Amino acid sequence: MTDFAKTRALFNLPEGVIYLDGNSLGPLPRGASQRLARVVEEEWGALLIRGWNAAGWMEQPRRVGDRIGRLIGAEPGSVVMGDTLSIKVWQALAAALKLNPTRRVILSDTGNFPSDLYMADGLVKLLGDGHSLRTVPPEAVAEALDETVAVLMLTEVDYRTGRLHDMAALTERAHAVGALTVWDLAHSAGALPVDVAGAGADFAVGCTYKYLNSGPGGPAFIYVAPRHAEAAVPALSGWLGHAAPFAFDLDYRPGRGVERMRVGTPPVLQLAALEAALDVWDEVDMQDLRARSIELSEAFIAGVEAACPDLVLASPRDAAARGSQVSFRHPDGYAIMQALIARGVIGDFRAPDILRFGFTPLYLTPEDVARAVEVLAEVMAHGAWDRPEFHRRAAVT
Ligand SMILES: *Cc1c(COP(=O)(O)O)cnc(C)c1O
């Protein structure tokens, strides 16, 4: 059994805060501060340029990729780190389209994160080759899969509602009509058990600063199924994805397997923070994590529905159909969330009317959830949110 009291002790959480936004930016693992200080002083500071060889900086994107791979059910050697998620979406999509050259449609859903759709749109316009991006409601994806579809590009867990797609079933259906799949695991990796190899996913991507706690700006990951790894064409053909970067050839030759999805210089300090953050996961069983996440989410839903009749559940009621977040709707959701944050309960707001709460068993307890419900009930009961300062919009919501 995973010891969640032990994992909680590994995080540096500010006094008086109940943090329900680890789905947007994970908190600081204690080990990350120490690791960063050590890498800065002993590696960057002392080794200088020698760090690339002596401290293993150059292999770090693959080494860390394998540790992420364990959390998403990927084969060893099939995941590499780098860049941000938007870039990895573009890379995966470009490679998938190239592997299915007679088709022109990218199918996605209206619940997908805008950046994923924007990247697809930008790629379609760049290709100028009759490609198009088609979006349908999340429930309509399976029936919209037909023989025109080149690539099914979905985010497994909807960032707004927490709605969870059936990755294995949709991948099977996509393959049955001759389409490839790109799965975005932004709200899945570290949130619930994932099995990309078992599901037969072709490509998967995700970020590490949400449930994996790598810190603001932490690098993304990309998975390429081993059966495609030697055929996938890297559209972003940077020198570190080259077969021999230090040969300084004038012609590009892709590196072996997933190595070719590297682009440029890896973010060594961010990767060091991520490596320390991943130490926390070494003793976590993903089935235990899922059970605890459901327990916390169910308690929150029951508590809020009993105490706050004006908030309407926006997430699926069936726990099996949800990721690790719960959302409620209210026309004044923004101000309500600001009032809640002012009282130390931190969630976030997603336009137009969603109050979003993430449930992260590594550092949240049932007592935290009960207390968060009490504070939300206080905020709602007396209209405490309806003050000018809570209506003023900040740049980041
Ligand atoms: C968080 C998130 C992103 C963010 O992309 P970045 O390039 O890392 O800023 C993209 N897609 C999805 C589905 C997300 O949840």
Side-chain angles (χ1 to χ4, degrees):
M1 279 297 281
T2 307
D3 183 349
F4 289 112
K6 204 167 148 195
T7 58
R8 180 180 169 91
L10 299 175
F11 287 90
N12 192 350
L13 295 160
E15 200 60 43
V17 162
I18 296 177
Y19 197 53
L20 305 180
D21 213 4
N23 52 312
S24 205
L25 176 69
L28 173 65
R30 293 182 192 281
S33 321
Q34 294 155 11
R35 184 78 57 95
L36 273 175
R38 186 172 65 71
V39 172
V40 167
E41 299 288 330
E42 296 174 18
E43 296 185 7
W44 178 18
L47 295 173
L48 301 167
I49 191 77
R50 294 169 291 186
W52 289 107
N53 291 319
W57 294 345
M58 200 45 98
E59 296 76 52
Q60 197 182 23
R62 274 287 310 284
R63 183 171 75 233
V64 179
D66 275 342
R67 293 185 74 185
I68 300 279
R70 190 184 74 79
L71 298 175
I72 62 166
E75 300 88 343
S78 60
V79 177
V80 74
M81 312 303 300
D83 317 296
T84 75
L85 177 51
S86 304
I87 302 285
K88 275 3 213 177
V89 166
W90 199 91
Q91 259 187 318
L93 192 55
L97 286 174
K98 208 72 178 156
L99 286 169
N100 210 353
T102 62
R103 310 264 184 111
R104 289 290 176 273
V105 174
I106 301 164
L107 179 65
S108 191
D109 73 16
T110 51
N112 206 345
F113 190 74
S115 197
D116 296 37
L117 300 176
Y118 301 159
M119 294 311 272
D121 185 57
L123 180 57
V124 160
K125 287 180 176 144
L126 177 70
L127 289 171
D129 197 20
H131 290 87
S132 65
L133 169 64
R134 212 178 132 207
T135 52
V136 298
E139 316 75 51
V141 169
E143 70 198 67
L145 270 167
D146 61 24
E147 295 187 352
T148 63
V149 176
V151 180
L152 174 65
M153 177 188 83
L154 291 175
T155 297
E156 189 188 18
V157 177
D158 186 309
Y159 76 104
R160 273 209 205 99
T161 64
R163 184 189 192 282
L164 175 66
H165 275 303
D166 185 336
M167 191 193 311
L170 285 172
T171 300
E172 191 182 337
R173 165 104 188 113
H175 289 170
V177 298
L180 294 177
T181 55
V182 174
W183 285 99
D184 188 328
L185 306 177
H187 297 276
S188 311
L192 65 160
V194 180
D195 185 4
V196 288
D202 299 286
F203 294 84
V205 293
C207 51
T208 59
Y209 50 79
K210 292 173 179 160
Y211 292 89
L212 297 174
N213 315 309
S214 69
F221 63 85
I222 183 166
Y223 163 79
V224 181
R227 63 184 175 282
H228 298 309
E230 297 301 331
V233 176
L236 297 174
S237 40
W239 72 306
L240 290 188
H242 191 281
F246 285 85
F248 296 105
D249 289 342
L250 294 185
D251 298 321
Y252 182 82
R253 277 181 296 124
R256 288 195 52 200
V258 78
E259 284 280 346
R260 67 187 58 187
M261 293 299 166
R262 293 177 63 163
V263 181
T265 303
V268 174
L269 298 180
Q270 294 269 193
L271 281 164
L274 173 58
E275 281 196 283
L278 290 173
D279 289 347
V280 177
W281 292 93
D282 286 345
E283 289 173 44
V284 175
D285 178 282
M286 295 308 285
Q287 301 299 337
D288 293 347
L289 182 96
R290 178 67 170 158
R292 177 90 157 178
S293 146
I294 289 175
E295 179 195 328
L296 297 173
S297 311
E298 294 283 275
F300 186 74
I301 293 173
V304 173
E305 289 196 320
C308 312
D310 293 343
L311 298 180
V312 179
L313 184 67
S315 298
R317 192 166 288 284
D318 174 10
R322 277 198 314 265
S324 200
Q325 67 175 72
V326 171
S327 303
F328 284 92
R329 288 185 200 281
H330 190 286
D332 286 297
Y334 181 79
I336 294 168
M337 183 55 75
Q338 303 323 302
L340 203 54
I341 293 171
R343 286 164 174 75
V345 177
I346 303 181
D348 62 20
F349 172 77
R350 287 293 174 263
D353 59 356
I354 298 255
L355 294 117
R356 190 172 70 153
F357 303 93
F359 293 91
T360 48
L362 295 189
Y363 49 86
L364 276 181
T365 63
E367 295 72 40
D368 291 332
V369 171
R371 179 69 195 135
V373 170
E374 275 173 30
V375 176
L376 181 54
E378 272 165 41
V379 165
M380 295 304 294
H382 311 294
W385 51 269
D386 199 7
R387 292 168 47 164
E389 69 265 33
F390 296 142
H391 287 278
R392 222 170 286 129
R393 296 274 173 129
V396 175
T397 63

